[in-house]
């Protein structure tokens, strides 16, 4: 079954007048829209192609891959405005329409927006900023600890609101986020908790706190050894500098160097930490 607005595995049927035609199943023959198609594809060859309906109402395919497909959420840049709405760069030659009816607030050329791609009443792919029309608050069939794909939607008083697997809303709490996050960012997260109302609490690491401290301690010793035994960071350093070096929060870093200090593996000086000679031999 061919899915419009998505990548499909298609079979080459024939080549006529320098134009390839692919087996579109219930959609019949699908013309290859690429202006410079790959040469010498015999009938029966399987190709991965993005299938969509073009401006003329024809079902076509392309080997060029868009930045997002129908049913997905993406952070896309507005490249032009018109009487029909805004047009977004989604990686294909013909820009993606963001209709006025699907906009929230003012849309400006040159800025990027978080949108969800969908098929309109004519099965043409379009974009919408009204994510709540597509993203559900309640999620089912997930398990705590399960890995999921996240897209950061917005910063809130609680932390960050994120889209989970292009389908559900979830929350990352600010006291559990130890790295910079920005709107539209894609990353892997985990289901921390499924609340009684089936809403999702998220976390960015499965590693337990004690395990994270231990791993950070090992990383500190490794970096000290590779940097001549000294790092210009202490428990009073800027959290951003600590994260850039060790990818952990200041709290975890403080716990790690505190443990190493008690073990007499490092010395904590005014402006940095130093590897003790006997520790480097361990």
């Amino acid at each position: 079954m061919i899915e419009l607005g998505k990548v499909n595995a298609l079979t080459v049927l024939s080549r006529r007048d320098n134009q390839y035609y692919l087996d579109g199943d219930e959609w019949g023959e699908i013309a290859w829209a690429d202006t410079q198609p790959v040469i010498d594809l015999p009938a029966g060859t399987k190709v991965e192609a993005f299938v969509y309906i073009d401006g003329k109402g024809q079902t076509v395919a392309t080997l060029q891959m868009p930045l997002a497909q129908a049913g997905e959420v993406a952070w896309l840049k507005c490249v032009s405005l018109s009487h029909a709405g805004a047009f977004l760069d989604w990686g294909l030659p013909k820009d993606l329409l963001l209709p006025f009816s699907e906009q929230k607030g003012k849309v400006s050329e040159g800025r990027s927006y978080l949108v969800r791609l969908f098929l309109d009443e004519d099965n043409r792919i379009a974009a919408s900023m009204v994510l709540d029309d597509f993203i559900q608050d309640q999620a089912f069939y997930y398990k705590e600890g399960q890995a999921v794909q996240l897209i950061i939607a917005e910063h809130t008083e609680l932390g960050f609101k994120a889209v989970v697997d292009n389908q559900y809303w979830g929350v990352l709490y600010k006291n559990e986020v130890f790295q910079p996050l920005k709107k539209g960012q894609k990353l892997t997260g985990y289901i921390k908790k499924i609340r009684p109302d089936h809403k999702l609490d998220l976390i960015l690491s499965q590693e337990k706190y004690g395990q994270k401290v231990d791993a950070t301690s090992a990383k500190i010793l490794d970096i000290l050894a590779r940097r001549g035994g000294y790092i210009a960071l202490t428990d009073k350093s800027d959290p951003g500098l600590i994260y850039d070096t060790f990818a952990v929060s200041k709290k975890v870093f403080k716990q790690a160097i505190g443990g190493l200090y008690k073990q007499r593996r490092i010395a904590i000086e005014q402006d940095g930490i130093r590897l003790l000679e006997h520790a480097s031999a361990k």
Side-chain angles (χ1 to χ4, degrees):
M1 179 179 176
I2 301 299
E3 293 187 89
L4 292 177
K6 295 187 177 183
V7 175
N8 294 261
L10 303 178
T11 302
V12 175
L13 289 177
S14 62
R15 183 182 185 186
R16 304 189 301 272
D17 300 324
N18 203 33
Q19 173 73 63
Y20 281 106
Y21 292 88
L22 310 174
D23 184 2
D25 199 17
E26 72 273 22
W27 294 94
E29 285 190 341
I30 296 179
W32 195 330
D34 296 341
T35 55
Q36 294 181 331
V38 178
I39 299 173
D40 294 332
L41 287 179
T45 301
K46 291 281 189 179
V47 294
E48 294 286 323
F50 181 72
V51 180
Y52 64 102
I53 293 180
D54 65 11
K56 299 177 182 178
Q58 297 177 323
T59 305
V60 296
T62 176
L63 293 193
Q64 298 181 65
M65 294 295 114
L67 299 176
Q69 305 179 49
E72 296 181 349
V73 175
W75 181 246
L76 301 180
K77 183 177 181 180
C78 175
V79 292
S80 65
L81 303 172
S82 78
H83 66 279
F87 285 93
L88 311 177
D89 177 9
W90 65 319
L92 295 185
K94 182 174 172 48
D95 297 322
L96 179 68
L97 175 64
L98 172 60
F100 285 117
S101 61
E102 300 294 336
Q103 297 179 16
K104 289 179 64 177
K106 182 180 178 181
V107 175
S108 302
E109 186 175 330
R111 295 192 60 183
S112 295
Y113 300 90
L114 196 64
V115 297
R116 201 262 197 182
L117 278 64
F118 70 100
L119 297 180
D120 65 15
E121 62 275 9
D122 296 318
N123 280 326
R124 293 180 181 177
I125 194 163
S128 175
M129 294 172 61
V130 190
L131 298 187
D132 285 330
D133 284 352
F134 305 95
I135 310 302
Q136 302 177 51
D137 286 319
Q138 295 179 303
F140 300 89
Y141 311 115
Y142 282 108
K143 295 180 180 179
E144 293 183 3
Q146 182 175 342
V148 291
Q149 295 304 306
L150 306 180
I151 299 180
I152 303 302
E154 59 182 305
H155 186 273
T156 70
E157 291 184 0
L158 294 175
F160 294 89
K161 191 174 182 181
V163 179
V164 180
D165 290 338
N166 293 295
Q167 300 180 75
Y168 306 105
W169 288 118
V171 176
L172 288 159
Y173 293 96
K174 58 185 176 183
N175 64 332
E176 297 175 330
V177 175
F178 309 120
Q179 66 187 78
L181 296 177
K182 59 183 180 180
K183 190 171 183 178
Q185 183 177 349
K186 292 185 177 183
L187 68 170
T188 299
Y190 302 88
I191 304 296
K192 178 188 177 185
K193 180 181 178 182
I194 303 171
R195 289 184 259 161
D197 59 2
H198 293 284
K199 294 183 179 180
L200 300 177
D201 289 344
L202 308 169
I203 198 165
L204 294 180
S205 174
Q206 278 187 309
E207 203 170 29
K208 293 182 179 179
Y209 186 78
Q211 293 173 328
K212 184 171 288 189
V213 172
D214 291 343
T216 302
S217 299
K219 186 181 292 186
I220 290 170
L221 293 174
D222 178 62
I223 292 178
L224 280 168
R226 289 190 284 110
R227 295 189 180 181
Y230 182 80
I231 302 174
L233 289 173
T234 70
D235 57 1
K236 297 180 176 60
S237 297
D238 180 84
L241 293 175
I242 292 172
Y243 183 83
D244 288 343
T245 305
F246 298 105
V248 296
S249 67
K250 187 172 183 176
K251 180 180 178 181
V252 171
F253 176 73
K254 289 173 68 174
Q255 290 284 335
I257 64 172
L260 292 172
Y261 177 78
K262 289 179 181 178
Q263 297 168 24
R264 298 183 179 180
R265 306 188 75 176
I266 63 169
I268 301 177
E269 302 178 355
Q270 182 175 353
D271 298 318
I273 55 177
R274 189 176 300 279
L275 182 66
L276 297 179
E277 289 186 9
H278 67 85
S280 62
K282 292 186 179 182

